[in-house]
């Protein structure tokens, strides 16, 4: 299994959602979570795959970020619990707005 993580600071949350829906042909649905700082988008891939677009900054907390190690990015996009990490890296390679951060393997 893999987690594949990307970041961006060049588009808004809604712009990234639209771009990913276009490229991946998967609908993302709006969710809200106080844990993740408000609105975020989620889609389901094959099996247990979860695709999540989340703001890294927390609007109500002056300067706080969800992922301090990724503070240079305003948005984080991840494909979680996927056996198809290389597939996603290839598919997302055409999204110029995203910068690849990591592909983490786990059992």
């Amino acid at each position: 299994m893999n987690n594949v993580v990307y970041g961006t600071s060049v588009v808004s949350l809604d712009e990234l959602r639209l771009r990913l829906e276009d490229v991946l042909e998967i609908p993302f649905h709006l969710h809200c979570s106080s844990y993740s700082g408000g609105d975020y988008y989620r889609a389901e891939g094959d099996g247990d795959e979860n695709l999540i677009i989340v703001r890294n900054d927390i609007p109500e907390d002056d300067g706080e970020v969800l992922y301090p190690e990724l503070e240079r990015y305003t948005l984080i996009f991840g494909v979680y619990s996927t056996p198809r990490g290389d597939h996603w890296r290839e598919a997302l390679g055409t999204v110029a707005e995203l910068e690849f951060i990591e592909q983490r393997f786990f059992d």
Side-chain angles (χ1 to χ4, degrees):
M1 296 299 264
N2 300 243
N3 289 339
V4 183
V5 180
Y6 288 80
T8 187
S9 294
V10 298
V11 293
S12 71
L13 183 66
D14 288 321
E15 289 170 328
L16 182 57
R17 173 192 57 91
L18 291 171
R19 181 77 170 107
L20 290 172
E21 285 180 339
D22 183 51
V23 169
L24 302 176
E25 299 179 349
I26 297 173
F28 283 78
H29 303 283
L30 183 63
H31 294 268
C32 185
S33 167
S34 58
Y35 174 77
S36 63
D39 291 344
Y40 70 97
Y41 286 100
R42 183 175 179 276
E44 293 182 7
D46 291 346
D48 291 332
E49 293 175 332
N50 287 300
L51 291 74
I52 298 174
I53 309 166
V54 65
R55 289 178 56 161
N56 196 27
D57 61 326
I58 303 172
E60 292 80 32
D61 294 336
D62 296 326
E64 293 293 320
V65 294
L66 289 176
Y67 303 98
E69 69 280 10
L70 304 175
E71 68 182 327
R72 66 180 263 202
Y73 302 104
T74 57
L75 297 174
I76 305 298
F77 171 65
V79 181
Y80 302 99
S81 300
T82 180
R84 307 180 305 149
D86 292 336
H87 160 80
W88 290 109
R89 287 192 61 190
E90 183 178 329
L92 294 164
T94 63
V95 182
E97 298 86 353
L98 287 176
E99 182 178 328
F100 173 73
I101 297 172
E102 71 176 358
Q103 181 174 353
R104 185 173 292 170
F105 298 88
F106 60 93
D107 292 328

